[in-house]
Amino acid sequence: MPADRGQAAGRPTISEVAAEAGVGRATAARTLGGYGYVSPELRERVLAAAAKLGYRTNALARSMSTGVSHTLGVIVADIGNPFFAGVVRGISDTSRARGFDTIVLSTYEDLDEEVAATNVLIDKRVDGVIIASAAVDRGEVAHIRAAMDRGIPVVLVDRAIASLDLDAVVIDNRDAAREAVEMLIAAGHRRVGFVWGPPAAEAPATRRGLLTEASRNLWTDGERLRGYLDALDDARIPFDPELVMVGRKTEERATQEVARMLALPDRMTAVFCTETDAVTGALRALRAAGLSCPRDIALIGFDDSSWAAVMEPPLTMIEQPVHQLGAKAAEVLLDTFEGAEPRREMHTLRSRLVVRSSVAPPPGA
């Protein structure tokens, strides 16, 4: 065994590749590290020698010597969520095509977990970070600024943060919500429930209070609420706080809140659900009340998926371009890393209302 192989039995070193190729160690290192100039002829010899010996680049050592790891860090709420799985697939496909790997970390909407994940990515010397952040105000973004201060480009995906001057890749949440509620209103509904709203302990009694509470929470939630209110305003339908769910964003809470709205003296006749779990919770409440969709209650939800198409009835849903969201975020980040001037703007992608069979006129209309 050559002396410089050390304890890594069976793993050839750069020196051995250089010897096999008949070049100096520095030339082999530049070729295998992807930095500096190497003539095409010598490059081919080094790569052929590396392939023959089964050499694999030590990515950490390469990043320490060149400052480039060819790795992107991705932080999302939950990789098990189909929405974020699609976004990550878009990021991965785009970054792989441009020679970058990805490291994906889930935070479960926990800000402490997000801070820890960001620190992990900084320590791993990633070349850039794409993050769907749970941060809301300027007091919660120190970890993102820490990455930026180290020269790591950051792109937001799915959510914007007003206190950060960063590129953000999002969908047209407000317009999408407005279009969905307008469809319910056009079918004759004036009592339209909104599930779910801000996670407040108590329901705000006024529209202004509701929007203030929404501004303290995720940007996407606030945008969808504003779209709902826009549609009511356009149709001159008075806002009723009793028709807006507040509290913890869980399927169980959605079921409870929809049941409450169904028990009102002037109950809702339609419901707009802004998340998949909200849709499931609403359907559970309808079933428990012995009501059917759309005969008794019309329903439109966010996040279209294959299961929505096979429900009975098939559900009208808003389809988000999840793969495109991820691909665009990766494109913006990699362009910045490779020298493009950051645009620091909102990149808004269009959603699509997929019309199926869960909307009908209210009973007696």
Side-chain angles (χ1 to χ4, degrees):
M1 175 189 300
D4 68 350
R5 187 174 291 182
Q7 299 299 314
R11 295 182 61 185
T13 64
I14 289 179
S15 296
E16 291 174 319
V17 173
E20 177 70 26
V23 301
R25 189 182 188 284
T27 298
R30 287 197 301 273
T31 301
L32 298 171
Y35 63 94
Y37 174 76
V38 179
S39 71
E41 177 189 354
L42 294 184
R43 175 181 169 80
E44 288 302 318
R45 282 163 55 182
V46 172
L47 293 178
K52 178 179 178 180
L53 296 177
Y55 176 84
R56 293 186 63 190
T57 302
N58 183 316
L60 178 58
R62 181 182 66 191
S63 71
M64 293 178 70
S65 64
T66 67
V68 178
S69 66
H70 286 95
T71 304
L72 302 184
V74 181
I75 300 174
V76 296
D78 183 4
I79 188 60
N81 180 309
F83 170 80
F84 285 114
V87 170
V88 169
R89 179 64 182 272
I91 294 170
S92 179
D93 287 348
T94 301
S95 60
R96 187 187 308 114
R98 292 175 65 166
F100 285 74
D101 295 322
T102 53
I103 299 173
V104 183
L105 299 172
S106 293
T107 65
Y108 309 103
E109 305 287 16
D110 184 301
L111 197 57
D112 290 337
E113 291 284 344
E114 181 176 312
V115 172
T118 304
N119 289 334
V120 166
L121 296 178
I122 291 173
D123 289 344
K124 288 188 176 294
R125 300 171 179 263
V126 297
D127 297 321
V129 173
I130 297 172
I131 181 170
S133 180
V136 175
D137 59 41
R138 64 180 63 252
E140 298 176 337
V141 298
H143 58 297
I144 299 177
R145 292 193 184 279
M148 296 164 61
D149 290 344
R150 285 166 173 79
I152 301 173
V154 178
V155 169
L156 304 175
V157 69
D158 183 48
R159 298 104 181 252
I161 302 175
S163 61
L164 289 176
D165 186 22
L166 289 172
D167 282 289
V169 181
V170 300
I171 72 154
D172 55 339
N173 287 280
R174 186 169 182 168
D175 288 346
R178 180 194 291 117
E179 182 182 7
V181 178
E182 284 175 346
M183 181 179 183
L184 294 170
I185 292 171
H189 298 276
R190 295 184 64 82
R191 299 287 290 168
V192 180
F194 182 86
V195 181
W196 45 53
E202 296 183 2
T206 66
R207 175 196 182 106
R208 182 175 180 178
L210 184 66
L211 288 172
T212 299
E213 194 65 41
S215 69
R216 301 188 182 117
N217 293 281
L218 291 180
W219 177 84
T220 47
D221 293 346
E223 287 295 284
R224 293 172 190 182
L225 175 60
R226 288 179 178 87
Y228 165 79
L229 295 173
D230 288 343
L232 296 185
D233 290 346
D234 291 344
R236 299 185 178 181
I237 297 175
F239 162 67
D240 184 351
E242 293 282 359
L243 294 180
V244 176
M245 167 188 160
V246 298
R248 293 182 63 238
K249 298 193 296 183
T250 65
E251 180 183 318
E252 180 181 11
R253 177 67 176 174
T255 300
Q256 294 168 350
E257 282 291 279
V258 170
R260 177 187 63 77
M261 295 177 199
L262 292 173
L264 293 172
D266 187 11
R267 79 179 191 192
M268 69 177 184
T269 61
V271 59
F272 173 54
C273 301
T274 64
E275 299 282 355
T276 300
D277 285 349
V279 172
T280 308
L283 292 173
R284 288 187 186 279
L286 295 184
R287 181 180 299 174
L291 300 174
S292 68
C293 171
R295 185 190 65 201
D296 302 305
I297 303 290
L299 181 148
I300 296 179
F302 241 96
D303 289 347
D304 189 35
S305 61
S306 57
W307 66 264
V310 298
M311 292 289 292
E312 186 53 50
L315 302 179
T316 294
M317 302 283 282
I318 295 170
E319 178 185 71
Q320 301 192 72
V322 291
H323 189 277
Q324 189 180 352
L325 270 175
K328 182 64 176 179
E331 175 187 315
V332 171
L333 182 64
L334 290 170
D335 286 350
T336 301
F337 174 74
E338 292 173 357
E341 188 69 24
R343 295 167 67 180
R344 295 186 175 90
E345 65 182 23
M346 198 92 73
H347 305 262
T348 304
L349 306 184
R350 287 287 299 171
S351 60
R352 184 170 72 98
L353 183 61
V354 181
V355 178
R356 297 194 180 100
S357 306
S358 59
V359 176

